[in-house]
Amino acid sequence: MNIEDFPMLKKDIIYLDNGATTLKPKCVIDKINDYYENYSANAHRGDYDISFKVDQEYENARELARKFINAKYKEEVVFTSGATQGLNMIAFGFFGKFLEAGDEILITQSEHASNVLPWFILQKKLGVVVRYIPLDSNHYVTIESVRDAITPHTKVISLAGITNVLGDERPMKEICKLAHEKNVFVVMDAAQSVPHRKIDVQDFDVDFLAFSGHKMCGPTGIGVLYGKKELLEEMEPQNYGGGMNESFDSADEIYLKDLPTRLEAGTPNIAGAIGLGEAIKYLDGIGMEHICEYEKNLRKYAIDKLLEIPYIDILNLESDSGIISFNVDGVFAQDVAYYLNKYNLCVRAGNHCAKILKKEVGVQNSLRVSLYFYNTESDIDALVELLRNKDKIMEEMI
Amino acid sequence: MDIEQKRKIIMEHYSNPKNRKLPDKEGYEKVNTANSSCVDNLDIYVKITDNRIEDITFMGEACAISISSTSIMINNLIGKTISEAQEFITQFENMVEESFYDKKLLGDANAYFDIASQGHRKTCALLPYIGIKKILENYK
């Protein structure tokens, strides 16, 4: 649906790599251009009209983001460069300050690198212990497995809401409830969730959450870190400098601004934030429930079609997000992706930044189709048609 | 070399690569070579005696272009002196980078003559060469 909104879809491509990044609707591109063409000044310097306009638009984008995830306060929404930066800020700025040697961090084998490596570094720095919540036979997290994994040393559980390779959706609300009963914090990597689901941070009662703008029709280089206000107040900035300080005279006399500005040092990605605000308005216009429903139906359509091909192994049959990971039996994933590229069909091959997953699934790499609301049944038909003839794949993959 | 010949050579070496095995004797040096933009990941084992490449084997997972290119490289480099091998590698790199190169010297490695037009696959063809160069460097 809404294909006509996307200039990229007027080109002769079929884009099925939305887990990596999404295409941008014209309204988002126009909004960014409008900033650069008509009021290209800095933020927080409202001494003249166009700068005042920047402040209004920038803070309006924050308000749109707040509403979108239903945060209680605007100060709980911090603009970042993306989910990666958000997760790093959470790990180093908050937990780096409070965790001690022997404290445990629970993650899983199917997390994205951005939700693994910061914790690994904390392990090396502080002597905390990163442990894995066991996955069930479908490689999914269950509430029972979380319950069993929590020990008296557990301080934080950090999980993707939807994983980026297998696309399984975690029961985050139940996990938060259970964790809080045991005084454990919950961090949600929402990079694959916020673009596809209605996420309500108050309903989940999640402590921290991070997502990226570019995976939800917004620009690259912008994202949001959400944290409960009382926790963000304790977060140590990872960057110091302009914009975030109130005043300073010496090392002992540094006064920082209030939230969220304190955590946004330097000139922010103004165009990015304003563009993200527009993307949020756009998605809201379509309706997140509608998007979620549409993707589920399209996934079902794709799975049914792919199952008709005997030599295709689907790795995540059970998942209900728009992510389908599969292999063509006997053909290296990269070679299949290359073959599909000859027909302007964009899919991802590889391990999708979840390098430790291979231990769990036993598959080094796979093809990943990740859907968004502008994909159609005819996109799927084109994919399936190209995969239907294995001889043709072998013939044309080099 | 036409497209059909090229395809035939690549597919033959992909389906039946030369020396895809661990070395069965002592005296091999090992190097890992991996493509940062995908998951191609190969271990190459080289045995050098009296300044001559006596044997090369490899293990790992990679795409058709990387595997076939490794197999063809092995076929061509075994028996060569270090400097002959280095010359072969230079000529192969020249071809891949669309510079002047010695067609005759490269033999069936000519199958990658148009790989530059396939953008991201250039690195796949070069992957085994990037690895073995690290070992040969030590013999300069």
Side-chain angles (χ1 to χ4, degrees):
Chain A
M1 55 187 183
N2 294 61
I3 296 168
E4 63 287 351
D5 298 339
F6 292 82
M8 279 291 292
L9 292 175
K10 294 188 175 65
K11 300 180 189 303
D12 184 24
I13 62 156
I14 296 176
Y15 186 76
L16 297 172
D17 193 16
N18 295 290
T21 196
T22 54
L23 307 179
K24 318 305 171 203
K26 185 75 168 51
C27 62
V28 169
I29 299 166
D30 286 347
K31 187 80 184 176
I32 295 166
N33 285 341
D34 182 38
Y35 163 67
Y36 282 125
E37 286 175 7
N38 296 314
Y39 57 102
S40 188
N42 209 328
H44 313 310
R45 315 272 195 281
D47 304 327
Y48 43 92
D49 285 352
I50 56 169
S51 176
F52 182 66
K53 163 116 171 129
V54 172
D55 273 358
Q56 278 182 319
E57 291 283 351
Y58 186 74
E59 290 308 319
N60 183 41
R62 196 189 308 278
E63 174 58 17
L64 286 162
R66 183 201 68 75
K67 265 197 213 147
F68 195 62
I69 57 171
N70 194 32
K72 199 168 180 184
Y73 308 105
K74 221 170 131 179
E75 301 92 296
E76 294 176 327
V77 173
V78 181
F79 284 123
T80 62
S81 65
T84 298
Q85 191 190 14
L87 291 166
N88 275 271
M89 286 166 74
I90 296 164
F92 299 118
F94 186 82
F95 291 102
K97 192 172 156 189
F98 293 111
L99 295 187
E100 292 171 359
D103 286 346
E104 286 175 1
I105 295 152
L106 293 181
I107 60 171
T108 72
Q109 296 272 14
S110 51
E111 300 309 311
H112 186 280
S114 302
N115 189 28
V116 178
L117 294 178
W119 303 118
F120 277 181
I121 300 300
L122 272 194
Q123 176 166 321
K124 286 186 78 169
K125 269 189 177 166
L126 302 178
V128 298
V129 184
V130 176
R131 287 182 48 232
Y132 301 107
I133 301 168
L135 304 177
D136 73 4
S137 57
N138 281 325
H139 318 293
Y140 299 161
V141 170
T142 63
I143 192 76
E144 291 73 31
S145 58
V146 178
R147 183 177 294 119
D148 292 346
I150 295 175
T151 75
H153 303 290
T154 307
K155 291 289 185 301
V156 50
I157 300 174
S158 187
L159 297 175
I162 294 177
T163 64
N164 71 314
V165 180
L166 296 179
D168 53 312
E169 192 170 4
R170 273 78 180 264
M172 293 309 294
K173 186 175 175 176
E174 290 73 17
I175 291 172
C176 287
K177 186 167 182 285
L178 173 69
H180 291 154
E181 282 164 12
K182 304 194 182 252
N183 290 321
V184 173
F185 291 107
V186 180
V187 176
M188 178 170 169
D189 166 7
Q192 302 289 349
S193 312
V194 169
H196 304 279
R197 298 282 191 275
K198 177 72 203 160
I199 298 296
D200 183 328
V201 292
Q202 291 189 73
D203 180 49
F204 280 19
D205 195 25
V206 70
D207 299 299
F208 293 101
L209 171 145
F211 62 92
S212 297
H214 70 96
K215 292 189 201 286
M216 49 188 289
C217 298
T220 54
I222 189 76
V224 164
L225 156 67
Y226 161 83
K228 284 179 181 166
K229 198 175 165 193
E230 65 272 22
L231 303 180
L232 277 189
E233 290 287 5
E234 300 299 324
M235 183 178 276
E236 220 162 61
Q238 297 302 292
N239 293 306
Y240 287 83
M244 55 84 73
N245 73 81
E246 198 73 74
S247 68
F248 55 93
D249 288 321
S250 66
D252 295 324
E253 286 176 282
I254 302 173
Y255 302 96
L256 301 182
K257 285 191 174 157
D258 291 337
L259 288 175
T261 317
R262 184 197 306 159
L263 298 171
E264 293 177 358
T267 292
N269 181 354
I270 299 167
I274 294 173
L276 174 59
E278 190 65 22
I280 288 173
K281 253 161 73 179
Y282 176 76
L283 293 178
D284 261 339
I286 302 171
M288 290 312 292
E289 281 81 8
H290 195 187
I291 287 173
C292 178
E293 195 58 31
Y294 180 87
E295 284 174 16
K296 280 188 182 180
N297 289 332
L298 191 59
R299 178 182 205 276
K300 190 175 176 322
Y301 180 83
I303 294 281
D304 288 348
K305 289 262 173 181
L306 287 169
L307 282 174
E308 290 169 10
I309 306 172
Y311 49 80
I312 285 188
D313 304 320
I314 300 175
L315 304 178
N316 63 339
L317 264 182
E318 301 301 320
S319 145
D320 55 6
S321 71
I323 292 173
I324 306 169
S325 284
F326 64 98
N327 270 305
V328 175
D329 188 28
V331 191
F332 199 68
Q334 228 90 42
D335 291 326
V336 182
Y338 181 71
Y339 157 76
L340 294 172
N341 173 57
K342 284 187 172 173
Y343 294 89
N344 295 332
L345 210 142
C346 312
V347 304
R348 178 94 184 266
N351 52 33
H352 319 296
C353 301
K355 290 183 197 291
I356 52 179
L357 185 64
K358 62 175 185 255
K359 284 189 207 153
E360 179 74 27
V361 187
V363 171
Q364 287 274 3
N365 65 108
S366 65
L367 287 150
R368 182 184 70 181
V369 162
S370 45
L371 306 169
Y372 213 12
F373 59 87
Y374 44 69
N375 291 126
T376 62
E377 289 185 357
S378 81
D379 293 347
I380 304 296
D381 292 343
L383 169 74
V384 171
E385 210 39 54
L386 284 168
L387 293 175
R388 220 180 262 288
N389 186 340
K390 195 169 172 181
D391 291 341
K392 189 172 147 77
I393 301 175
M394 298 292 282
E395 180 92 9
E396 298 182 10
M397 70 186 194
I398 51 172
Chain B
M1 186 175 286
D2 63 26
I3 300 293
E4 213 23 66
Q5 273 176 297
K6 163 192 116 166
R7 227 193 76 74
K8 197 163 165 276
I9 292 171
I10 292 177
M11 284 312 285
E12 260 172 30
H13 280 272
Y14 177 49
S15 325
N16 196 11
K18 167 96 172 168
N19 282 357
R20 189 179 195 167
K21 59 179 184 185
L22 287 171
D24 45 18
K25 301 186 292 254
E26 299 279 286
Y28 285 75
E29 291 174 62
K30 175 183 162 182
V31 68
N32 177 266
T33 183
N35 196 339
S36 62
S37 66
C38 66
V39 287
D40 288 347
N41 193 323
L42 300 173
D43 286 333
I44 296 177
Y45 302 86
V46 189
K47 187 172 166 72
I48 295 170
T49 316
D50 298 336
N51 221 33
R52 196 175 282 279
I53 297 176
E54 190 183 313
D55 194 25
I56 311 171
T57 74
F58 79 104
M59 287 293 279
E61 268 210 73
C63 69
I65 298 295
S66 280
I67 296 283
S68 59
S69 182
T70 307
S71 173
I72 291 170
M73 179 189 83
I74 289 175
N75 248 350
N76 278 287
L77 294 192
I78 290 177
K80 283 196 166 53
T81 63
I82 302 286
S83 61
E84 285 168 348
Q86 275 163 338
E87 181 54 23
F88 185 91
I89 294 168
T90 305
Q91 292 307 320
F92 187 83
E93 288 172 338
N94 286 351
M95 175 182 72
V96 171
E97 298 299 345
E98 296 180 286
S99 174
F100 291 107
Y101 69 101
D102 185 346
K103 240 184 200 171
K104 250 187 173 161
L105 184 79
L106 288 184
D108 50 7
N110 278 300
Y112 306 95
F113 71 92
D114 63 347
I115 203 81
S117 66
Q118 301 174 21
H120 51 287
R121 294 215 117 179
K122 239 165 72 171
T123 332
C124 305
L126 281 171
L127 197 66
Y129 294 90
I130 293 168
I132 202 160
K133 268 171 78 174
K134 288 182 196 155
I135 288 183
L136 299 185
E137 281 289 305
N138 304 331
Y139 287 83
K140 263 188 177 166

